[in-house]
Amino acid sequence: MIIGVDATCWWNSRGFGRFTRELLNAMFRLERGHSFHVFSDQEIPELAGFEHVASTLVATSRPTIEAAVANGSRSPLDMLRMTRAVAGTQIDCMFFPAVYSWYPVPPRLPTMLTVMDAIAEHYPQLIFPEWRSRLFWYLKMRGALWNCDRVLTLTEAAKQEIATYIGVDTARIDVCSCAPNPSFSPVSDPEKLADIRQRMRLPLNASLIVYVGGMAPHKNLLGLLEGFESAQASGRLHDTHLVLGGDFSGAGFHSNHGSLVQRVAASRVMKACVHFTGHLSDADLVLLYSTAVAAAMPSYSEGFGLPAIEAMACGTPVLASSEGSLPEVVGEAGVYFDPFDTRAIADAIIEMVNNKDKREALGLKSVARARDFTWERAAGLALDHLENMYRD
């Protein structure tokens, strides 16, 4: 089977870009007898190492990773160029690793489309504050779903949310997975752990709670800050700091970084113990997770929650929202809370920081749980679904 693959979001720095890179690299490494034809609008040097992967470079007026974002606008002509490139190539099926970069393909070509979640439909006001962006997203999603045969998502929770809020029949939805990169593993070297704290200007001996991800409103970072402030004000936390890492700008998507900074600045309790780091490299993430007592995932919904499994791979338990996919992914390696309840968030923080025995037990469970998630397994599942679609 010759599998066509859209790779125009390969360079995106958010979760769907990482999913695209990791999944495709793993798929190309599997020996299943398939060949691949990759369509992109920028050069991908990594493809040169695979003899069974051909590629077509399509000249566009603007890279898809700049245009296919919440506040962007894609050129219809650029989308048509991608469509023509696919139509002019002999492939047996088509795979889109992200709905963000979708463009129409010939209607008789079996097509699988990845929809990671239905957060934009569940919480539209938190994702698209402007009606124009909301309308464009709705039209793109409808067109993409009409043009595809199967929908791929990352968890059973996301599958149910897509069915409920987008209206896709569950019989059309297949489930794949995500996984941590192998570089995510526990680090115990005290010099390296001290170095990351010094470089990030974090206290050497404080308990650290780390959040890494987008700064969009649905991530519920205001709720996390309020819960953290309440926990601090209770007098039951000793020398505990909160680290918020991620792209302040939102990389083209809605960000409320400014209001988060204002909320911290207005709080006497939080000004000295909440730190914004900006973007973090994977190498620094590994060290930061390894020196933290917990990773925080307070969002109202997640399609998967990749930062959670990355933290777990480093032996770090998770302070996790009880909503969306996180209970499915984190399993017994976390302390859960209702993301809409500030008191519940505060209580979870206090329990995680103060109960050392429980935290250490959760850390061991975190590493064991993370081993269940590999990109090889995810790629195998995705190929299984593509093969089944083609046979059908």
Side-chain angles (χ1 to χ4, degrees):
M1 185 165 68
I2 305 175
I3 303 171
V5 181
D6 167 61
T8 54
C9 61
W10 181 280
W11 305 267
N12 179 269
S13 61
R14 295 173 68 91
F16 63 88
R18 182 181 288 263
F19 173 78
T20 297
R21 293 187 297 274
E22 297 280 9
L23 185 75
L24 293 185
N25 271 310
M27 287 176 68
F28 297 159
R29 288 193 298 268
L30 290 180
E31 297 181 2
R32 298 274 283 262
H34 302 303
S35 58
F36 300 85
H37 197 112
V38 172
F39 301 89
S40 63
D41 53 7
Q42 298 181 72
E43 292 281 359
I44 306 177
E46 294 90 334
L47 300 183
F50 299 102
E51 293 182 357
H52 59 305
V53 179
S55 63
T56 293
L57 182 64
V58 180
T60 57
S61 62
R62 188 182 180 195
T64 299
I65 58 168
E66 296 178 8
V69 293
N71 60 4
S73 178
R74 295 179 74 186
S75 161
L77 182 57
D78 284 348
M79 295 179 70
L80 178 60
R81 290 179 176 125
M82 300 302 303
T83 299
R84 285 176 173 171
V86 172
T89 308
Q90 293 296 318
I91 57 177
D92 297 310
C93 65
M94 185 69 186
F95 174 49
F96 286 90
V99 69
Y100 295 93
S101 57
W102 170 83
Y103 41 83
V105 298
R108 294 182 182 178
L109 180 66
T111 300
M112 176 171 285
L113 172 77
T114 304
V115 179
M116 295 189 172
D117 54 62
I119 298 171
E121 290 75 20
H122 192 170
Y123 299 103
Q125 71 282 2
L126 301 182
I127 305 297
F128 300 116
E130 298 179 359
W131 69 266
R132 178 177 175 273
S133 298
R134 200 176 303 178
L135 175 62
F136 283 176
W137 174 261
Y138 173 83
L139 293 174
K140 179 168 70 173
M141 181 66 80
R142 290 296 131 188
L145 291 172
W146 176 84
N147 194 217
C148 78
D149 298 275
R150 304 292 302 178
V151 170
L152 183 69
T153 196
L154 307 182
T155 58
E156 290 293 335
K159 177 177 179 177
Q160 294 305 316
E161 194 169 24
I162 291 166
T164 300
Y165 293 98
I166 303 181
V168 180
D169 189 336
T170 55
R172 287 183 64 198
I173 306 174
D174 298 310
V175 177
C176 178
S177 182
C178 268
N181 184 280
S183 64
F184 286 86
S185 61
V187 175
S188 57
D189 185 331
E191 291 187 5
K192 292 181 178 179
L193 299 182
D195 176 68
I196 187 65
R197 288 185 181 237
Q198 290 171 345
R199 286 193 287 113
M200 298 291 172
R201 298 182 179 179
L202 303 171
L204 290 178
N205 298 312
S207 297
L208 301 182
I209 297 170
V210 176
Y211 166 85
V212 175
M215 301 279 168
H218 78 277
K219 296 294 187 177
N220 190 31
L221 295 183
L222 282 175
L224 176 63
L225 288 176
E226 290 173 3
F228 181 71
E229 181 182 45
S230 178
Q232 291 279 18
S234 73
R236 297 166 63 191
L237 286 186
H238 173 69
D239 198 15
T240 302
H241 289 238
L242 177 62
V243 181
L244 304 179
D247 187 344
F248 296 159
S249 69
F253 291 82
H254 187 33
S255 170
N256 65 342
H257 169 253
S259 61
L260 298 174
V261 172
Q262 291 174 5
R263 180 68 179 84
V264 170
S267 169
R268 179 186 60 81
V269 173
M270 290 194 291
K271 277 193 292 187
C273 55
V274 175
H275 311 266
F276 293 87
T277 69
H279 176 74
L280 293 162
S281 68
D282 283 358
D284 282 346
L285 268 180
V286 170
L287 295 175
L288 195 56
Y289 282 140
S290 294
T291 193
V293 298
M297 291 290 289
S299 53
Y300 298 131
S301 183
E302 292 281 350
F304 184 86
L306 186 57
I309 205 72
E310 291 175 341
M312 290 160 59
C314 297
T316 308
V318 184
L319 284 162
S321 164
S322 58
E323 297 292 308
S325 66
L326 289 171
E328 182 179 341
V329 172
V330 175
E332 297 181 355
V335 172
Y336 295 93
F337 54 80
D338 179 349
F340 299 96
D341 185 344
T342 299
R343 183 70 256 168
I345 298 174
D347 289 343
I349 290 172
I350 292 168
E351 179 183 8
M352 182 70 85
V353 173
N354 290 342
N355 193 335
K356 182 180 179 181
D357 290 343
K358 180 172 184 176
R359 191 172 68 244
E360 290 179 348
L362 290 175
L364 294 175
K365 290 180 179 179
S366 296
V367 174
R369 176 69 173 166
R371 292 194 187 106
D372 293 337
F373 297 86
T374 68
W375 284 112
E376 182 179 15
R377 174 178 175 271
L381 288 170
L383 281 175
D384 288 345
H385 299 319
L386 285 164
E387 289 167 353
N388 291 335
M389 177 185 70
Y390 180 65
R391 284 194 293 265
D392 292 343

